């Protein structure tokens, strides 16, 4: 891996976005999100995804200059149309609206249709937390996982985010409904590494840790078997019903993933909490960390902590990126 | 299993609740919920739990006559104090308030502290759906599961409910964060049956399907390994911060589980949906059901469907109950 500075990465993203029709402010904004995601070690939704993002812009699947449109509003709820704009732009806007509604009503909720991939799901949870709100959001995705009891992929992996603000670093859960992403399994398959736990079914219908076998059968495993299957289904139903947008099966499983649907919720802790929010969260974390570790000397980590450490390291010694991908970005 | 009619079961619960100081209306109400849960096949949170519920009343851990108290209100959010009343009564009240807030603001949210076990989590999702709302709720629980990377139980199984209204029967996901409940594992251990998938770790630290080994180590498995561990933690943080009530570690792991904290959300579909909610949900379900089944001839089921079938059977041929437990209820 090659190390680059945040500034170099940001400038490179900006240059490419400017060139591809992103208005000034939006170009800065999207470059920052792509650079942030890479700095936090989420390269899959940072630099590694950037060339694909630009490809969508070039092919007209993402409109760089359009603004999301308000379709309906009722009290603490709003429905937005993403107008096939950049997913990052639409998602930040809709979480911003959910935060504004939360400031007014304690809780706010927005639903968004006709948008594009929002890259790192956690971005919008952190956005809510930076504004003093609990952030909850999810997206539907392409179809890529069979429902429990079935062999045919019918469910999206529909990432779900829960984020709790903390002065010491937000507590961030950002989880897809599949045990492993297809990307992760393809990397492990290429390296010949088994998965740490079963990630799907092989040709014989047995649970397996062999990523190549799962990529072949397309039978990746929902988290918690029947439970993650049910959760993925419900998240898709709710997001499609509230947004009026496409469900996973309508997004399909083709080479392009466009026109997805999302939900954003914010709860303003300053308005709603009993005042002990900070204290109780720190006490919970201290207690969890006091668990006897499975590996002696390694304490239990909590969601968001690993990312915060990667961010720290990136800031100290540079952001690790795949040199081939960096070269590709430079050529755009 | 002995078969009893709904009327017989309801009358028996009523008689016992009357005798133990439940005011008339509340006695009818709680008897109905216990009978409903048993009729739907959730005996673990119906008749099987009823003697324990009465024991809590007798020991003063549940106050049968108290009403929940409003502690704070801000827009679409309210915080309630359950005053150690019956968990069912408090939870129905708080979901009713969330529904009323959703009618007014599109989305409504209530948090509840100082309450008792709500029995079947799904009850409150179905309640929201009956009122035309998406229902989302969760509770924290006693500590009974180690966090990922740890050996000491520190997390609750914190059941989460998502419910989508449907004229043909609500879509109901009611899932705990542990792969299997302790009760389920003890039943399987007694019967000498292996679990269908790994449910925890054995003495050697290996994943196992042997329920007795897991009951022994107390290392039950979160759904999706690190993912369910993180989700359980976040649900506990959110519910404790919003309610001002106790976190799982404060509820502890003693023989009695009291003073838990809960969150209830309702989203009024008539106010918020784009109007295609019913259509898109049915289309999603039709597509999921069209998956090639793993077992030929058995189609994929969706969350809530099995329960609806058990309810149907109970209504046709009577409600199956353990004769020993029925006898115990009759003796109360």
């Amino acid at each position: 891996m090659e190390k680059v500075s945040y500034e170099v990465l940001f400038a490179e993203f900006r240059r490419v976005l400017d060139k591809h029709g992103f208005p000034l402010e939006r170009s800065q904004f999207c470059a920052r999100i792509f650079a942030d995601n890479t700095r936090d070690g989420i390269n899959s939704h940072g630099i590694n995804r950037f060339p694909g993002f630009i490809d969508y812009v070039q092919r007209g699947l993402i409109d760089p200059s359009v603004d999301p449109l308000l379709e309906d509003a009722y009290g603490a709820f709003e429905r937005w149309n993403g107008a096939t704009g950049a997913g990052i732009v639409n998602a930040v806007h809709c979480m911003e609206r959910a935060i504004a509604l939360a400031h007014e009503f304690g809780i706010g909720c927005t639903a968004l249709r006709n948008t594009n991939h929002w890259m790192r799901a956690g971005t919008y949870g952190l956005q809510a937390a930076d504004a003093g709100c609990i952030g909850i959001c999810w997206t539907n995705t392409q179809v890529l996982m069979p429902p429990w009891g079935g062999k045919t992929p019918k469910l999206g992996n529909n990432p779900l985010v829960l984020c709790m603000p903390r002065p010491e670093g937000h507590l961030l859960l950002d989880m897809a409904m599949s045990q492993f992403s297809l990307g992760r399994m393809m990397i492990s398959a290429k390296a010949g590494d088994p998965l740490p736990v079963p990630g799907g079914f092989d040709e014989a219908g047995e649970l397996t840790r062999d990523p190549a076998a799962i990529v072949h059968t397309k039978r990746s495993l929902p988290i918690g078997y029947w439970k993650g299957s049910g959760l993925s289904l419900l998240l898709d139903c709710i997001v499609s019903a509230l947004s009026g947008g496409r469900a996973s099966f309508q997004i399909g499983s083709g080479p392009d993933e466009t026109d997805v649907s999302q939900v954003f919720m914010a709860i303003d802790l300053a308005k709603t909490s009993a005042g002990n929010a900070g204290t109780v969260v720190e006490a919970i974390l201290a207690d969890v960390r006091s668990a006897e570790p499975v590996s002696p000397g390694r304490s239990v980590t909590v969601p968001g902590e690993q990312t915060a450490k990667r961010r720290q390291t990136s800031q100290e010694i540079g952001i690790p990126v795949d040199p081939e991908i960096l070269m590709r970005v430079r050529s755009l």
Side-chain angles (χ1 to χ4, degrees), chain A residues 32-320:
Chain A
R32 181 176 65 75
I33 303 273
F34 273 105
D36 284 357
N37 294 354
T38 314
R39 176 203 59 199
D40 288 1
I42 321 291
N43 294 37
S44 58
H45 294 125
I47 188 169
N48 298 8
R49 189 89 180 202
F50 189 77
F53 176 79
I54 295 300
D55 174 60
Y56 272 40
V57 175
Q58 287 174 326
R59 290 160 57 215
L61 299 173
I62 292 174
D63 184 337
S65 58
V66 77
D67 287 314
L69 309 163
L70 181 64
E71 291 201 321
D72 203 3
Y74 187 90
F77 175 85
E78 289 177 358
R79 189 174 337 102
W80 288 82
N81 182 341
T84 68
I88 291 173
V89 172
N90 288 333
V92 166
H93 178 80
C94 283
M95 184 53 97
E96 200 173 281
R97 288 302 310 149
I99 293 165
L101 292 166
H103 289 334
E104 192 175 347
F105 299 105
I107 182 170
C109 179
T110 55
L112 172 64
R113 72 179 178 96
N114 204 9
T115 191
N116 280 296
H117 198 301
W118 63 7
M119 302 300 135
R120 178 188 182 192
T123 299
Y124 316 99
L126 295 173
Q127 179 190 352
D130 281 341
C133 293
I134 292 169
I136 300 174
C137 55
W138 67 92
T139 183
N140 62 10
T141 66
Q142 285 194 314
V143 151
L144 36 69
M145 184 169 73
W148 188 250
K151 289 181 178 181
T152 327
K154 291 289 182 189
L155 300 174
N157 70 359
N158 303 351
L160 171 68
V161 169
L162 274 73
C163 191
M164 167 63 76
R166 286 177 69 226
E168 304 77 7
H170 306 318
L171 204 55
L172 173 66
L173 182 80
D174 172 354
M175 63 176 231
M177 295 302 127
S178 53
Q179 190 64 54
F180 298 103
S181 70
L182 189 61
R184 157 73 200 266
M185 289 196 284
M186 285 167 81
I187 290 168
S188 295
K190 206 174 159 189
D193 293 334
L195 300 168
V197 294
F201 296 93
D202 62 17
E203 196 79 50
E206 298 297 327
L207 283 172
T208 181
R209 291 173 55 199
D210 176 1
I214 301 162
V215 171
H216 177 69
T217 60
K218 294 184 181 161
R219 291 181 61 188
S220 58
L221 192 67
I223 58 163
Y225 310 90
W226 50 91
K227 294 191 178 190
S229 173
L231 184 51
S232 173
L233 178 69
L234 261 294
L235 292 175
D236 191 31
C237 287
I238 295 175
V239 79
S240 306
L242 290 181
S243 70
R246 296 210 293 175
S248 277
F249 86 94
Q250 293 161 325
I251 301 164
S253 56
D256 295 321
E257 185 187 54
T258 57
D259 222 354
V260 303
S261 307
Q262 296 167 349
V263 165
F264 303 85
M265 288 185 191
I267 306 174
D268 185 347
L269 275 174
K271 304 288 199 298
T272 60
S273 90
N276 70 335
T279 322
V280 76
V281 169
E282 294 316 308
I284 291 170
L285 296 184
D287 183 67
V288 162
R289 288 191 178 114
S290 75
E292 186 193 342
V294 170
S295 316
R298 286 186 57 180
S299 79
V300 169
T301 57
V302 300
E305 213 170 25
Q306 304 271 22
T307 313
K309 269 185 202 152
R310 281 200 296 264
R311 175 185 298 204
Q312 185 71 26
T313 311
S314 291
Q315 280 160 342
E316 283 164 15
I317 62 165
I319 303 172

